[in-house]
Amino acid sequence: MKRRPNSVFAPAAALAAVMLAATSAAAAEKKYDPGASDTEIKIGQTVPHSGPGSLYGVLGRVGEAYFQMLNDKGGINGRKVKFLTLDDSYSAPKAVEATRRLVEQEEVLALYGSLGTAPQTAVHKYLNNKKVPQLLLNTGASKWNNPKEFKYTMAGLPLYPTEARILAKYVLSVKPEAKIAILYQNDDFGRDFLGPFKKVLEDAGGKAKVIAEASYDLTEPTIDSQMINLSKSGADVFYNITTGKASSQSIRKVVELGWKPLQLLSAGSTGRSILEAAGLENAKGIVAIAYTKDIGSPKYASDPDVMAFEELRKKYLPNVTPDNSIAFSGYAQAAAMAEILRRCGDELTRENVIKQASMLGGFRAPHMLPGVSYSYKPDDYTSIKTLYTMEFSGKDWIVSDKPVAE
């Protein structure tokens, strides 16, 4: 008798083979570098939780809160995020130590949101040699736009030369023969604002001139002596390239000295917490560049992004004030980092992280004004190219009607 083929078991075997192949293919599609697995994504940053820049430590605390919120909702693509924010005290040696710990001991997939031109310069080559993404830096130094030589580093703020050039053009439009006094932080941050600003004045023919300059170091307790000398110069424009407490001190000192120049302030110092420390009335008339919503302003109280931040703040950060603009910026940068990781899907390699970050152009972070978005491209790491000018009324920032593109 002729035996019949096993028609029942053959299809089952075929199905098992297909399923095994599909499972193998799915497994093959998942790619991981250190800091990533089926269940976890580990990322880090260094910011000054102590020392002269401790005001910015809230960036780390709000990052912790944001990723805890995401984890409570299931994480990113099914993976929980482990976020490590280490203290560098705004010190280059401490930034090196903390960064090496994140990379070599904690083995993070990437770093994001770290603060300060000098501290991040100290780890710039190290991270690129290790091919560890150094993303959304809280510094706008021009050096971060160098994808050919430093592929793994990208700024998170508008580049300082972009901001400086727009401010210089503003001065020329309202005071074409301005006499300008400048106070600047004595590091790459200050110099990145200084050179491009002067170049615009020079190219315009030189009628507007810088007649006095003074610098300060972050370790100095006050900038009183610099401000006294600048006020005696006869300048009718004061270009204030400062950060943190130096910004608050200089704004207040202008009024105490009875000096009444047109004041220009770097965008990183326009937050309400800095202005309140100076005295809101003392800041009246200051002009700056804008690209973010003023979270302390009543006009944004019903803004969906501001309301979402407030919901997170109440639940996870009750000790942070509702109008803390630094915290709001940290929240927005965490959202941008989460978007990069989300776009990576199951290919959580450092190469794919930087690839997805370099294609983030067009993504609008929660704190950005209408018409503003990231402008990154694989061959151009300019972070943001469209900005507004704004003037402080004593209570609120009044933003210009139209954005300015460099």
Side-chain angles (χ1 to χ4, degrees), residues 194-385:
L194 200 61
F197 183 88
K198 288 181 175 179
K199 183 67 165 58
V200 170
L201 301 183
E202 181 185 326
D203 291 346
K207 289 186 178 180
K209 294 181 180 179
V210 175
I211 63 168
E213 292 180 27
S215 65
Y216 74 97
D217 294 318
L218 274 170
T219 53
E220 293 183 49
T222 76
I223 40 73
D224 285 0
S225 61
Q226 292 95 321
M227 291 300 298
I228 290 168
N229 290 333
L230 291 174
S231 70
K232 292 177 179 178
S233 68
D236 56 10
V237 173
F238 172 42
Y239 184 25
N240 190 350
I241 311 169
T242 58
T243 61
K245 69 176 183 179
S247 301
S248 301
Q249 289 175 355
S250 55
I251 292 166
R252 188 168 58 247
K253 198 65 180 177
V254 167
V255 176
E256 289 176 0
L257 292 168
W259 190 18
K260 296 182 179 179
L262 165 65
Q263 293 188 64
L264 310 174
L265 185 63
S266 57
S269 297
T270 58
R272 191 159 290 261
S273 54
I274 288 175
L275 299 187
E276 284 177 346
L280 294 182
E281 190 61 29
N282 292 336
K284 187 175 181 179
I286 287 177
V287 173
I289 292 302
Y291 67 99
T292 64
K293 301 164 189 170
D294 179 10
I295 194 171
S297 171
K299 67 187 173 188
Y300 292 112
S302 59
D303 179 271
D305 292 320
V306 172
M307 292 172 72
F309 169 73
E310 177 60 13
E311 183 180 345
L312 173 135
R313 188 199 66 79
K314 281 183 178 178
K315 183 174 181 180
Y316 298 95
L317 295 164
N319 294 329
V320 171
T321 58
D323 61 354
N324 191 313
S325 59
I326 298 172
F328 187 41
S329 293
Y331 165 81
Q333 286 191 334
M337 187 63 206
E339 176 65 16
I340 292 168
L341 295 174
R342 200 171 287 117
R343 293 185 185 189
C344 286
D346 289 334
E347 190 180 339
L348 286 161
T349 63
R350 289 164 173 166
E351 194 67 28
N352 195 34
V353 169
I354 195 65
K355 176 183 175 183
Q356 298 304 324
S358 72
M359 297 193 299
L360 200 63
F363 177 75
R364 185 181 158 277
H367 65 329
M368 290 178 172
L369 289 167
V372 179
S373 63
Y374 290 118
S375 56
Y376 304 116
K377 294 178 181 178
D379 61 348
D380 181 2
Y381 285 0
T382 303
S383 46
I384 300 167
K385 292 183 177 180

Side-chain angles (χ1 to χ4, degrees), residues 7-326:
S7 57
V8 174
F9 294 104
L15 179 60
V18 170
M19 290 177 66
L20 179 62
T23 302
S24 300
E29 287 170 6
K30 292 184 179 182
K31 294 182 180 179
Y32 298 130
D33 270 348
S37 69
D38 283 349
T39 58
E40 184 180 77
I41 306 170
K42 192 187 289 188
I43 57 175
Q45 72 172 193
T46 71
V47 293
H49 289 283
S50 65
S54 60
L55 181 71
Y56 297 98
V58 72
L59 292 167
R61 299 196 300 277
V62 78
E64 289 175 326
Y66 185 88
F67 289 111
Q68 182 60 55
M69 177 193 72
L70 282 191
N71 289 342
D72 290 346
K73 295 178 179 178
I76 297 176
N77 297 329
R79 298 173 180 88
K80 299 297 178 71
V81 178
K82 184 174 182 180
F83 172 58
L84 303 170
T85 175
L86 302 188
D87 183 19
D88 63 17
S89 302
Y90 208 95
S91 156
K94 289 183 179 179
V96 171
E97 181 184 350
T99 300
R100 291 182 73 95
R101 176 185 155 188
L102 288 169
V103 173
E104 297 172 21
Q105 295 179 35
E106 300 294 346
E107 294 190 314
V108 296
L109 177 67
L111 290 89
Y112 94 95
S114 297
L115 180 101
T117 301
Q120 291 311 298
T121 296
V123 297
H124 190 197
K125 289 181 180 178
Y126 168 77
L127 289 171
N128 277 267
N129 287 340
K130 291 282 188 180
K131 299 184 178 180
V132 177
Q134 183 186 21
L135 305 177
L136 298 164
L137 291 178
N138 276 295
T139 153
S142 57
K143 68 176 69 176
W144 313 134
N145 183 19
N146 188 358
K148 286 186 178 179
E149 295 182 67
F150 295 97
K151 174 182 176 178
Y152 293 88
T153 301
M154 300 172 71
L157 306 181
L159 296 181
Y160 301 144
T162 299
E163 184 178 337
R165 284 189 283 267
I166 290 176
L167 284 174
K169 289 173 184 176
Y170 175 84
V171 169
L172 291 172
S173 71
V174 297
K175 284 184 173 286
E177 297 184 11
K179 295 184 237 176
I180 304 160
I182 301 175
L183 176 66
Y184 66 96
Q185 194 165 292
N186 188 26
D187 57 16
D188 285 348
F189 166 82
R191 288 184 285 274
D192 241 355
F193 274 96
L194 200 61
F197 183 88
K198 288 181 175 179
K199 183 67 165 58
V200 170
L201 301 183
E202 181 185 326
D203 291 346
K207 289 186 178 180
K209 294 181 180 179
V210 175
I211 63 168
E213 292 180 27
S215 65
Y216 74 97
D217 294 318
L218 274 170
T219 53
E220 293 183 49
T222 76
I223 40 73
D224 285 0
S225 61
Q226 292 95 321
M227 291 300 298
I228 290 168
N229 290 333
L230 291 174
S231 70
K232 292 177 179 178
S233 68
D236 56 10
V237 173
F238 172 42
Y239 184 25
N240 190 350
I241 311 169
T242 58
T243 61
K245 69 176 183 179
S247 301
S248 301
Q249 289 175 355
S250 55
I251 292 166
R252 188 168 58 247
K253 198 65 180 177
V254 167
V255 176
E256 289 176 0
L257 292 168
W259 190 18
K260 296 182 179 179
L262 165 65
Q263 293 188 64
L264 310 174
L265 185 63
S266 57
S269 297
T270 58
R272 191 159 290 261
S273 54
I274 288 175
L275 299 187
E276 284 177 346
L280 294 182
E281 190 61 29
N282 292 336
K284 187 175 181 179
I286 287 177
V287 173
I289 292 302
Y291 67 99
T292 64
K293 301 164 189 170
D294 179 10
I295 194 171
S297 171
K299 67 187 173 188
Y300 292 112
S302 59
D303 179 271
D305 292 320
V306 172
M307 292 172 72
F309 169 73
E310 177 60 13
E311 183 180 345
L312 173 135
R313 188 199 66 79
K314 281 183 178 178
K315 183 174 181 180
Y316 298 95
L317 295 164
N319 294 329
V320 171
T321 58
D323 61 354
N324 191 313
S325 59
I326 298 172

